[in-house]
Amino acid sequence: MKAEAQALKGHLDVLLLAALEDGPRHGYAVKEALREGSGGRFDLPTGTVYPALHRLEAAGLISGTWSHTDGRRRRIYQLTEAGERKLAGDRINWQEFAATVTTLLDRPPWPATG
């Protein structure tokens, strides 16, 4: 089952930051890193990924530079220090949230009240 872009709302930015954690990538490589890293479940349209990258760049969380490879012009993105801090904080928040939800879902059914 492929995840729809809407299902990732609120999580897309942190996933894009995480895709850049290992180093600079051009936009399509960021999109492919999400697809491959999720086993194909997060196969997002470029119309979702590129505006989000532009938003992250405008917020100072990533920086972009132009490169020329094989006669093609590509924008290469990388995390800024602010982006690294944001990713670290979001990762901790996500882990705490996921642990809490897992605790609630893995417990026996709640008794009825009334």
Side-chain angles (χ1 to χ4, degrees), residues 5-17 42 94 97:
Q6 188 64 25
L8 291 176
K9 189 173 183 170
H11 307 291
L12 179 59
D13 289 359
V14 71
L15 293 173
L16 293 173
L17 293 174
F42 296 163
W94 173 258
F97 174 78

Side-chain angles (χ1 to χ4, degrees), residues 50-71:
Y50 283 100
L53 288 170
H54 296 157
R55 185 177 64 251
L56 291 171
E57 186 175 13
L61 299 175
I62 63 175
S63 62
T65 56
W66 289 105
S67 73
H68 296 277
T69 306
D70 298 326

Side-chain angles (χ1 to χ4, degrees), residues 11 14 85-101:
H11 307 291
V14 71
R85 287 190 304 273
K86 173 89 168 119
L87 176 57
D90 286 353
R91 181 173 277 138
I92 289 167
N93 290 340
W94 173 258
Q95 290 166 346
E96 290 172 355
F97 174 78
T100 302
V101 169

Side-chain angles (χ1 to χ4, degrees), residues 16-66:
L16 293 173
L17 293 174
L20 292 168
E21 188 173 28
D22 289 338
R25 297 179 194 253
H26 58 81
Y28 187 78
V30 170
K31 175 188 173 324
E32 286 300 295
L34 288 178
R35 187 183 63 74
E36 290 174 14
S38 68
R41 296 177 81 185
F42 296 163
D43 191 5
L44 303 174
T46 55
T48 297
V49 173
Y50 283 100
L53 288 170
H54 296 157
R55 185 177 64 251
L56 291 171
E57 186 175 13
L61 299 175
I62 63 175
S63 62
T65 56
W66 289 105

